[in-house]
mmCIF file of all heavy atoms in Angstrom:
data_model
loop_
_atom_site.group_PDB
_atom_site.id
_atom_site.type_symbol
_atom_site.label_atom_id
_atom_site.label_comp_id
_atom_site.label_asym_id
_atom_site.label_seq_id
_atom_site.Cartn_x
_atom_site.Cartn_y
_atom_site.Cartn_z
ATOM 1 N N THR D 93 -9.466 2.813 -25.992
ATOM 2 C CA THR D 93 -9.755 3.886 -26.979
ATOM 3 C C THR D 93 -10.304 3.287 -28.251
ATOM 4 O O THR D 93 -10.265 2.061 -28.454
ATOM 5 C CB THR D 93 -8.470 4.651 -27.387
ATOM 6 O OG1 THR D 93 -7.654 3.765 -28.129
ATOM 7 C CG2 THR D 93 -7.694 5.183 -26.198
ATOM 8 N N ALA D 94 -10.770 4.160 -29.127
ATOM 9 C CA ALA D 94 -11.132 3.721 -30.480
ATOM 10 C C ALA D 94 -9.867 3.242 -31.193
ATOM 11 O O ALA D 94 -8.776 3.750 -30.912
ATOM 12 C CB ALA D 94 -11.777 4.857 -31.250
ATOM 13 N N ALA D 95 -10.012 2.268 -32.106
ATOM 14 C CA ALA D 95 -8.828 1.686 -32.738
ATOM 15 C C ALA D 95 -8.082 2.705 -33.561
ATOM 16 O O ALA D 95 -6.845 2.562 -33.764
ATOM 17 C CB ALA D 95 -9.266 0.506 -33.624
ATOM 18 N N ASP D 96 -8.738 3.743 -34.065
ATOM 19 C CA ASP D 96 -8.032 4.723 -34.922
ATOM 20 C C ASP D 96 -7.436 5.895 -34.129
ATOM 21 O O ASP D 96 -6.906 6.829 -34.725
ATOM 22 C CB ASP D 96 -8.941 5.227 -36.051
ATOM 23 C CG ASP D 96 -10.245 5.900 -35.502
ATOM 24 O OD1 ASP D 96 -10.368 5.972 -34.240
ATOM 25 O OD2 ASP D 96 -11.056 6.335 -36.311
ATOM 26 N N THR D 97 -7.482 5.849 -32.791
ATOM 27 C CA THR D 97 -6.842 6.889 -31.996
ATOM 28 C C THR D 97 -5.313 6.832 -32.168
ATOM 29 O O THR D 97 -4.730 5.736 -32.163
ATOM 30 C CB THR D 97 -7.213 6.667 -30.502
ATOM 31 O OG1 THR D 97 -8.632 6.691 -30.378
ATOM 32 C CG2 THR D 97 -6.627 7.771 -29.632
ATOM 33 N N THR D 98 -4.723 7.994 -32.364
ATOM 34 C CA THR D 98 -3.256 8.079 -32.542
ATOM 35 C C THR D 98 -2.535 7.563 -31.277
ATOM 36 O O THR D 98 -2.970 7.843 -30.171
ATOM 37 C CB THR D 98 -2.832 9.553 -32.778
ATOM 38 O OG1 THR D 98 -3.697 10.075 -33.797
ATOM 39 C CG2 THR D 98 -1.374 9.675 -33.209
ATOM 40 N N ALA D 99 -1.459 6.843 -31.493
ATOM 41 C CA ALA D 99 -0.700 6.297 -30.351
ATOM 42 C C ALA D 99 -0.136 7.436 -29.530
ATOM 43 O O ALA D 99 0.360 8.421 -30.038
ATOM 44 C CB ALA D 99 0.438 5.413 -30.890
ATOM 45 N N ARG D 106 -0.433 -2.545 -28.173
ATOM 46 C CA ARG D 106 -1.828 -2.320 -28.388
ATOM 47 C C ARG D 106 -2.535 -3.663 -28.616
ATOM 48 O O ARG D 106 -2.002 -4.578 -29.198
ATOM 49 C CB ARG D 106 -2.133 -1.351 -29.522
ATOM 50 C CG ARG D 106 -1.677 -1.829 -30.900
ATOM 51 C CD ARG D 106 -2.053 -0.794 -31.960
ATOM 52 N NE ARG D 106 -3.483 -0.758 -32.202
ATOM 53 C CZ ARG D 106 -4.108 0.193 -32.882
ATOM 54 N NH1 ARG D 106 -3.421 1.238 -33.311
ATOM 55 N NH2 ARG D 106 -5.388 0.128 -33.114
ATOM 56 N N ASP D 108 -6.066 -4.917 -30.187
ATOM 57 C CA ASP D 108 -7.279 -4.565 -30.909
ATOM 58 C C ASP D 108 -8.356 -5.581 -30.585
ATOM 59 O O ASP D 108 -8.117 -6.783 -30.615
ATOM 60 C CB ASP D 108 -7.002 -4.528 -32.419
ATOM 61 C CG ASP D 108 -6.073 -3.404 -32.787
ATOM 62 O OD1 ASP D 108 -6.123 -2.353 -32.112
ATOM 63 O OD2 ASP D 108 -5.294 -3.572 -33.766
ATOM 64 N N GLY D 112 -13.884 -3.013 -32.711
ATOM 65 C CA GLY D 112 -13.355 -1.790 -33.310
ATOM 66 C C GLY D 112 -12.678 -0.862 -32.298
ATOM 67 O O GLY D 112 -12.256 0.251 -32.662
ATOM 68 N N ASN D 113 -12.556 -1.313 -31.047
ATOM 69 C CA ASN D 113 -11.838 -0.505 -30.070
ATOM 70 C C ASN D 113 -10.497 -1.174 -29.768
ATOM 71 O O ASN D 113 -10.242 -2.314 -30.207
ATOM 72 C CB ASN D 113 -12.649 -0.381 -28.786
ATOM 73 C CG ASN D 113 -13.863 0.503 -28.994
ATOM 74 O OD1 ASN D 113 -13.742 1.663 -29.460
ATOM 75 N ND2 ASN D 113 -15.035 -0.029 -28.666
ATOM 76 N N SER D 114 -9.667 -0.486 -29.019
ATOM 77 C CA SER D 114 -8.391 -1.105 -28.666
ATOM 78 C C SER D 114 -7.966 -0.663 -27.275
ATOM 79 O O SER D 114 -8.463 0.310 -26.706
ATOM 80 C CB SER D 114 -7.324 -0.780 -29.683
ATOM 81 O OG SER D 114 -6.929 0.569 -29.611
ATOM 82 N N ARG D 116 -4.587 0.231 -25.040
ATOM 83 C CA ARG D 116 -3.218 0.686 -25.267
ATOM 84 C C ARG D 116 -2.460 0.622 -23.925
ATOM 85 O O ARG D 116 -2.954 1.148 -22.930
ATOM 86 C CB ARG D 116 -3.175 2.124 -25.768
ATOM 87 C CG ARG D 116 -4.126 2.458 -26.900
ATOM 88 C CD ARG D 116 -3.808 1.703 -28.152
ATOM 89 N NE ARG D 116 -4.763 2.021 -29.204
ATOM 90 C CZ ARG D 116 -4.606 3.010 -30.106
ATOM 91 N NH1 ARG D 116 -3.502 3.731 -30.106
ATOM 92 N NH2 ARG D 116 -5.522 3.211 -31.001
#
Side-chain angles (χ1 to χ4, degrees):
T93 68
D96 59 0
T97 303
T98 311
R106 64 178 287 166
D108 293 328
N113 290 307
S114 70
R116 313 294 179 94

